[in-house]
């Protein structure tokens, strides 16, 4: 396809295409929360939905620090006469439900349909820890609080925390170990007994608990939405791998790997079903004081292949159901999940932004910044570049939802749209006056909220 840039025309009536089928797999995107990457499609079709009001639903022109959302509430922290204030607004019209001052060191962790959670960082002779404060989202009443914890994530109606009461940690020293050739060597995981607690979100009562002995490591799987957990596994130094039900803590499956040693990191990823804990699949294991990672078959426990880390930009990770990806400054290499053999290479693009419908959306990290203007859609089977982008900006908002993009119009405004990953079509749904730079956005339900230079704007998604 020859490169071309389509002029932005917001006046053309347009009927949206049939929605694409749901992706068979979703890629964990928690690390990309609020990232911004320059996009625009060569040959992308751009149109406004017919008869749609593209103005924000409401605007707050005040010193907004952060914004979080549930389907019915928007939670804003902002300054009011130099004092931090927590404010809860109704989603349809932005009417204030309640507000109250908060300490400067406290920030919103996440919001559910029932509660607002706040985190406060603290440090003492034992290291750093957090205090979790939970408020009723409808009234602002403080429901409960728990100190000396580390927040892990949440499941429906519950929070997962690590109890740090008796743990001594030195969080201020980070050691990067390399061998004589300058190649990174895997550091051991933190060596202490981990005490995980699952708490009821409204009462703070303990639902179940898990104590992971020193030397063993627990790994949590995350959903697309920031902080939402969907799996828990536990690996021992003798190679015993257990999967647990996040609802009850019960062991759902046990596997024995043909391995023993000191764990650096492990992940249960490629070539398995979407449900973490099934008896098929693989384990990617980084052994402490060694280079690279080993891939083990869950069913037999035997090692399938070894990946040698040669100081790449990002280590080995599962990028689709059948592929692992490795990225450096030159591009992306895809490896067969069963053999480790190279499948394809793509030059230049070295960040995975999204995966679905048999394609990968890749961007670039280079000396010009973490998210440059280069991006492309790639066929996951062949690595063939299907479409190149430049000029739009991808707003990878915190939360699940569509791929929202924005493009500057003039010096002080922008338009927002939804990018159809399959067709390359952008449906414009919003105009944004006073748009001066990259936004911080969050999506929930039918709405998108963005803060830009302290102001808040909220749109209804198409």
């Amino acid at each position: 396809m020859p490169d071309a840039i389509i002029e932005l025309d917001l006046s053309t009536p347009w009927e949206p295409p049939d929605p694409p089928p749901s992706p068979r797999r979703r890629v964990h995107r928690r690390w990309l929360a609020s990232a911004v990457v320059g996009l625009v499609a060569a040959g992308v079709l751009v149109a406004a939905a017919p008869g749609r009001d593209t103005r924000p639903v409401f605007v707050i022109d005040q010193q907004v620090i952060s914004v979080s959302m549930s389907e019915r509430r928007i939670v804003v922290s902002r300054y009011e006469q130099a004092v931090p204030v927590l404010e809860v607004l109704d989603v349809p019209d932005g009417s204030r439900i309640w507000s109250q001052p908060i300490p400067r060191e406290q920030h919103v962790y996440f919001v559910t349909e029932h509660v607002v959670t706040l985190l406060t960082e603290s440090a003492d002779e034992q290291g750093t820890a957090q205090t979790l404060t939970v408020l009723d989202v409808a009234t602002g009443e403080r429901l409960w609080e728990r100190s000396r914890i580390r927040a892990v994530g949440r499941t429906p109606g519950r929070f997962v925390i690590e109890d740090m009461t008796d743990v001594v940690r030195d969080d201020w020293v980070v050691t990067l170990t390399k061998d004589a050739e300058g190649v990174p060597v895997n550091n051991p995981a933190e060596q202490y007994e981990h005490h995980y607690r699952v708490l009821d979100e409204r009462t703070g009562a303990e639902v179940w608990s898990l104590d992971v002995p020193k030397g063993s490591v627990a790994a949590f799987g995350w959903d697309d939405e920031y902080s939402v957990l969907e799996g828990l596994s536990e690996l021992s130094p003798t190679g015993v791998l257990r999967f647990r039900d996040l609802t009850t803590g019960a062991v759902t499956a046990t596997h024995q790997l043909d391995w023993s040693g000191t764990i650096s990191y492990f992940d249960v990823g490629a070539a398995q079903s979407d449900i973490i804990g099934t008896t098929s699949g693989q384990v990617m294991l980084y052994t402490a004081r060694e280079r690279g990672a080993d891939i083990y078959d869950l069913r037999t426990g035997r090692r399938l292949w070894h990946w040698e880390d040669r100081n790449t930009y990002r280590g080995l990770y599962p990028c689709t159901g059948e592929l692992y990806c490795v990225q450096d400054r030159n591009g992306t290499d895809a490896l067969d999940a069963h053999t480790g053999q190279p499948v394809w290479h793509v030059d230049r693009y070295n960040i995975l932004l999204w995966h679905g419908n048999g394609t990968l959306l890749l961007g670039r990290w280079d000396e010009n910044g973490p998210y440059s203007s280069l991006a492309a859609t790639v066929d996951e089977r062949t690595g063939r570049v299907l479409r190149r982008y430049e000029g739009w900006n991808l707003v990878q908002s915190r939360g699940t939802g569509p791929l929202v993009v924005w493009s500057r119009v003039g010096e002080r405004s922008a338009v927002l749209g939804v990018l159809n990953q399959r067709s390359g079509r952008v449906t414009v749904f919003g105009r944004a006056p006073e748009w001066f730079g990259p936004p911080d956005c969050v999506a929930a339900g039918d709405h998108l909220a963005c803060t830009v230079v302290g102001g808040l704007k909220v749109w209804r998604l198409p």
Side-chain angles (χ1 to χ4, degrees):
M1 177 184 294
D3 288 347
I5 299 299
I6 300 302
E7 294 288 336
L8 185 66
D9 181 0
L10 302 182
S11 63
T12 305
W14 174 77
E15 292 294 332
D18 293 334
S22 300
R24 289 175 296 168
R25 288 183 57 88
R26 292 176 295 172
V27 173
H28 163 55
R29 294 180 291 170
R30 189 176 65 95
W31 66 274
L32 198 57
S34 72
V36 179
V37 64
L39 277 182
V40 178
V44 166
L45 302 177
V46 183
R52 184 180 185 89
D53 187 351
T54 57
R55 294 172 299 179
V57 176
F58 65 88
V59 175
I60 298 178
D61 289 323
Q62 296 174 342
Q63 291 179 290
V64 175
I65 306 168
S66 68
V67 59
S68 303
M69 283 183 75
S70 67
E71 291 194 10
R72 297 185 299 161
R73 305 280 192 267
I74 296 179
V75 179
V76 173
S77 57
R78 62 180 181 83
Y79 285 112
E80 191 172 274
Q81 297 181 346
V83 176
V85 172
L86 187 68
E87 191 169 64
V88 176
L89 311 173
D90 189 61
V91 166
D93 59 8
S95 57
R96 180 187 294 182
I97 300 173
W98 58 266
S99 66
Q100 64 183 45
I102 58 174
R104 290 182 180 272
E105 64 273 11
Q106 199 169 60
H107 66 273
V108 178
Y109 180 36
F110 55 77
V111 179
T112 74
E113 292 302 316
H114 305 289
V115 299
V116 179
T117 59
L118 304 171
L119 278 181
T120 307
E121 304 282 344
S122 61
D124 53 28
E125 65 279 358
Q126 291 181 293
T128 61
Q130 299 167 325
T131 295
L132 182 66
T133 304
V134 180
L135 310 179
D136 187 300
V137 74
T139 65
E141 175 191 1
R142 191 172 84 166
L143 300 177
W144 56 275
E145 186 174 272
R146 185 143 178 172
S147 300
R148 293 292 307 168
I149 63 102
R150 182 180 67 87
V152 176
R154 63 188 175 102
T155 62
R158 296 173 181 177
F159 301 152
V160 181
I161 60 109
E162 183 179 357
D163 186 348
M164 307 297 291
T165 304
D166 300 319
V167 176
V168 178
R169 300 173 66 197
D170 185 358
D171 291 315
W172 305 108
V173 177
V174 177
T175 303
L176 298 177
T177 306
K178 295 187 177 182
D179 62 14
E181 299 178 13
V183 178
V185 176
N186 304 327
N187 288 319
E190 291 183 290
Q191 299 295 305
Y192 64 88
E193 185 174 357
H194 297 262
H195 306 287
Y196 296 103
R197 306 291 181 253
V198 178
L199 312 176
D200 182 271
E201 71 170 23
R202 291 197 61 86
T203 67
E206 189 172 296
V207 179
W208 61 269
S209 63
L210 172 65
D211 295 324
V212 179
K214 182 178 179 179
S216 293
V217 172
F220 292 88
W222 277 269
D223 196 355
D224 286 348
E225 186 175 353
Y226 176 67
S227 78
V228 176
L229 302 173
E230 63 174 5
L232 169 59
S233 51
E234 174 190 352
L235 180 63
S236 78
T238 59
V240 177
L241 177 65
R242 298 183 180 90
F243 291 96
R244 294 184 180 271
D245 186 324
L246 276 172
T247 303
T248 64
V251 174
T252 58
T254 301
H255 304 274
Q256 176 65 59
L257 304 184
D258 186 17
W259 171 90
S260 63
T262 302
I263 305 163
S264 176
Y265 169 78
F266 80 97
D267 184 30
V268 180
Q272 66 165 24
S273 76
D274 287 331
I275 305 300
I276 294 180
T278 56
T279 55
S280 63
Q282 298 176 345
V283 176
M284 179 177 63
L285 174 58
Y286 288 77
T287 302
R289 304 179 188 88
E290 294 184 4
R291 302 193 312 194
D294 293 300
I295 307 302
Y296 286 84
D297 179 74
L298 275 180
R299 184 177 59 84
T300 64
R302 67 183 182 88
R303 190 179 80 164
L304 298 177
W305 52 278
H306 176 77
W307 172 71
E308 187 76 2
D309 187 356
R310 305 304 301 181
N311 206 10
T312 57
Y313 151 69
R314 184 182 178 187
L316 186 73
Y317 69 99
C319 53
T320 78
E322 297 294 329
L323 296 175
Y324 287 88
C325 286
V326 181
Q327 291 156 336
D328 59 23
R329 66 178 59 190
N330 297 318
T332 298
D333 289 292
L335 309 180
D336 184 278
H338 303 282
T339 66
Q341 293 300 307
V343 178
W344 49 257
H345 170 82
V346 174
D347 286 330
R348 305 170 75 192
Y349 306 105
N350 58 6
I351 303 174
L352 176 62
L353 302 174
W354 190 83
H355 169 228
N357 294 326
T359 62
L360 303 176
L361 180 62
L362 300 177
R364 178 165 177 79
W365 183 305
D366 60 20
E367 62 275 5
N368 296 320
Y371 305 102
S372 71
S373 61
L374 298 173
T377 302
V378 174
D379 187 304
E380 72 171 46
R381 296 170 304 168
T382 65
R384 184 170 66 92
V385 175
L386 303 176
R387 185 178 286 110
R388 299 183 189 274
Y389 304 87
E390 61 180 43
W392 286 91
N393 299 284
L394 174 64
V395 179
Q396 188 57 69
S397 60
R398 287 167 285 137
T400 58
L403 290 172
V404 177
V405 295
W406 65 271
S407 180
R408 190 176 301 282
V409 178
E411 296 182 358
R412 299 170 61 90
S413 62
V415 292
L416 294 96
V418 170
L419 173 66
N420 184 313
Q421 177 70 3
R422 188 179 186 187
S423 68
R425 188 186 299 266
V426 174
T427 305
V428 172
F429 67 86
R431 293 177 182 264
E434 305 301 316
W435 193 272
F436 297 104
D440 180 20
C441 299
V442 58
D446 297 329
H447 290 81
L448 173 80
C450 295
T451 59
V452 181
V453 194
L456 174 69
K457 297 176 174 64
V458 179
W459 291 269
R460 186 175 179 85
L461 291 167

